[in-house]
Amino acid sequence: MKSKKLIFKSLTLEEFKRRIYSEPKPIEWRKGQFVFNRIAQLYGDVARQVQYEDCIDCFYDDSAIEEFIKCAHARYHL
């Protein structure tokens, strides 16, 4: 059986976003927390790599969500 990363390897940015937002956001989470946690859930270490190596952190800063998603998408396709 193929891993998730192989199955979803060639996602466009829009498909990547659709997968992130395919689950409802818990009401107690801010949008940035949700995006970070969904990327971590779906794509493993990608979220932490963007947070620590690219210094983009949407978990604490909702204004960084779009940049975080774009960077996560690029890292996922490396």
Side-chain angles (χ1 to χ4, degrees):
M1 186 168 130
K2 292 183 179 181
S3 70
K4 280 187 180 182
K5 184 152 183 158
L6 293 176
I7 293 170
F8 299 113
K9 182 70 176 159
S10 62
L11 292 174
T12 67
L13 179 58
E14 289 308 311
E15 291 167 332
F16 191 81
K17 286 180 181 182
R18 273 196 297 276
R19 284 195 42 82
I20 293 166
Y21 294 115
S22 67
E23 295 284 325
K25 179 185 81 60
I27 58 172
E28 65 274 8
W29 288 0
R30 287 184 343 280
K31 188 174 179 183
Q33 290 173 299
F34 172 73
V35 168
F36 183 95
N37 289 331
R38 280 292 287 164
I39 290 174
Q41 177 188 34
L42 293 167
Y43 308 111
D45 291 337
V46 169
R48 290 285 179 207
Q49 291 169 355
V50 173
Q51 183 183 42
Y52 292 123
E53 295 174 25
D54 300 315
C55 300
I56 304 166
D57 190 355
C58 71
F59 189 90
Y60 294 104
D61 181 4
D62 286 352
S63 70
I65 291 171
E66 282 304 310
E67 185 179 9
F68 188 90
I69 291 173
K70 287 177 185 174
C71 193
H73 178 257
R75 278 193 169 273
Y76 180 70
H77 286 88
L78 289 178

